[in-house]
Amino acid sequence: MRRILIIGGGGMVGQKLAHRLSAHGLDGDRNIEVTLFDMAFPEGGAPAAERITGQLGTPADIDSLVAARYDVIFHLAAVVSGDAEANYQKGWEINGASVLHFTRAVQAEHAASDGAWVPRIVFTSSIAVFGPPFPEKIPDDQPLTPQTSYGAQKACAEFMLNDLGRKGAAEVVVIRLPTIVVRPGKPNLAASSFFSGIIREPLNGQEAVLPVEDDVRHWHASPRAATGFLVHAAGLDMALLGDNRVLTMPGVSCTVAEQIEALRRAAGDRAVALIRRAPDETIRRIVGGWPRDFAPKRALALGFTADRDFDEIVRIYIEDELPDSPP
C-alpha cells in the first residue's frame, strides 16, 4: 500500500486532490492510504484515512509528519500572496523557515533509514517567482526576479527543494501553479482573489468587486487542472527532469475583459452587471508585478495539460460547484 500525505489537505486544492485520489487512486493504483494535514478541515470534507491537525510553523509537527515516512508527499500549504505581503514575518516563517525545516527533516530521516526512504515530494510553487521586465511569453529559462515577499519566499523554497532532490534524499518535483480560478467558497487573502470573485460571485447572484483595470492580463488554470498537474507530477519519470526539478505549469493567458466576456457568454449581461469597479492601489501594485503569459515547453513535453480557454474554466466551475444551475 502506498501511503500519501497532503500537507495543506484542508485547503481547496488539497480537498479536491483528496477527492480525486479517493475516486481514481494514483497512477491507476487504488491501493493507497491518504492522510491530510492542516490547521483545520471543512465539515464533511474529502475522505481520508487520517486527518492530522497542526501548523507548519511548529517544528515538532513537521518532524512528526516526516518521521511517519510517507511514500508520496504533496506539499501545498503556504501563506497566500496578499497575507505574505502584509505580514512579513509570518510569510517568511511559513513559506521560508518551515520549508527549510521540512527539507532538513527529510534529509535526516533519509539518512536514518540508511537511504532506504526516498519519498516522492510534489511541492507547489508560484508564477510569482517572476518579476518585470517580462518578455511577451516567459520561457522556461527566465531568471527569477520576484517583486513580492510571497514570490521571494517561493523562489527560496524552489532552491531548497531542488537541492534536496539533488542530494538524493527525495524524488522532488516542484510545480509553479498559475493562479487557480474559479475558486469555490469565500474570497481568501490572496491578492489574486478577485480573479475568482468576478466570476464566482455573479454566478451566485452576488456583487463582485474588481480592483484593477480591464486590460490586466494574467495566467490561469482551473482547480480541476491543478489537481491534474499534481497527480501527473507524482508519476513523472525523474530521469526526464535532469538537474532542474522545477516546472512552470501550462495555463490560460487572458485579460480581465476576456474573463468578463466568458462570464457573459455563460450567464448573460445580468451577471456581468454585478461586477463593481473599485480601484485598489495596493492590489494593482502587487498584480502589476506579476507575469502575464508563458511558454511552458518543458511541462507540455512532459505531458502536463491545462484548460483550453477561459470559457472552459468557467464551465468547470459551474459543473463542479453549481451542478443544479440551468444550462
Side-chain angles (χ1 to χ4, degrees), residues 237-265:
D237 179 353
M238 295 302 300
L240 299 176
L241 292 181
D243 294 328
N244 184 1
R245 299 162 185 83
V246 184
L247 295 162
T248 299
M249 292 294 98
V252 174
S253 176
C254 67
T255 64
V256 168
E258 289 167 337
Q259 283 188 263
I260 292 172
E261 288 310 305
L263 172 65
R264 193 188 310 276
R265 287 188 289 272

Side-chain angles (χ1 to χ4, degrees), residues 15-53:
Q15 285 284 293
K16 287 188 176 293
L17 175 60
H19 276 297
R20 178 164 179 158
L21 293 173
S22 174
H24 304 291
L26 185 60
D27 299 329
D29 180 7
R30 292 180 175 272
N31 189 25
I32 62 173
E33 181 182 88
V34 177
T35 296
L36 308 179
F37 173 85
D38 214 321
M39 294 185 294
F41 300 95
E43 186 175 351
E50 186 177 8
R51 295 174 182 82
I52 302 174
T53 303

Side-chain angles (χ1 to χ4, degrees), residues 1 39 94 149 165 177 181 196 229 241 244 292 322:
M1 175 181 288
M39 294 185 294
I94 302 302
S149 294
L177 293 178
V181 294
S196 284
F229 298 155
L241 292 181
N244 184 1
R292 303 171 182 88
L322 305 174

Side-chain angles (χ1 to χ4, degrees), residues 37-164:
F37 173 85
D38 214 321
M39 294 185 294
F41 300 95
E43 186 175 351
E50 186 177 8
R51 295 174 182 82
I52 302 174
T53 303
Q55 298 192 40
L56 287 181
T58 303
D61 288 348
I62 297 175
D63 292 340
S64 178
L65 292 174
V66 172
R69 297 185 181 178
Y70 294 93
D71 301 299
V72 180
I73 301 174
F74 293 98
H75 193 312
L76 317 180
V79 172
V80 295
S81 54
D83 197 11
E85 191 69 14
N87 297 285
Y88 183 83
Q89 298 293 344
K90 175 184 176 183
W92 278 104
E93 178 184 354
I94 302 302
N95 298 342
S98 79
V99 177
L100 176 59
H101 188 87
F102 172 73
T103 59
R104 287 173 168 172
V106 171
Q107 172 66 26
E109 196 66 30
H110 169 75
S113 74
D114 294 326
W117 181 62
V118 184
R120 172 65 60 98
I121 297 175
V122 179
F123 181 88
T124 52
S125 185
S126 167
I127 57 173
V129 299
F130 300 109
F134 305 116
E136 183 176 349
K137 287 182 178 287
I138 295 175
D140 288 321
D141 59 357
Q142 177 78 6
L144 306 189
T145 55
Q147 298 299 308
T148 62
S149 294
Y150 178 73
Q153 291 150 13
K154 284 296 189 179
C156 290
E158 287 187 6
F159 286 118
M160 288 187 277
L161 268 295
N162 198 59
D163 192 50
L164 179 70

Side-chain angles (χ1 to χ4, degrees), residues 6 24 152 180 268:
I6 305 176
H24 304 291
I180 304 304

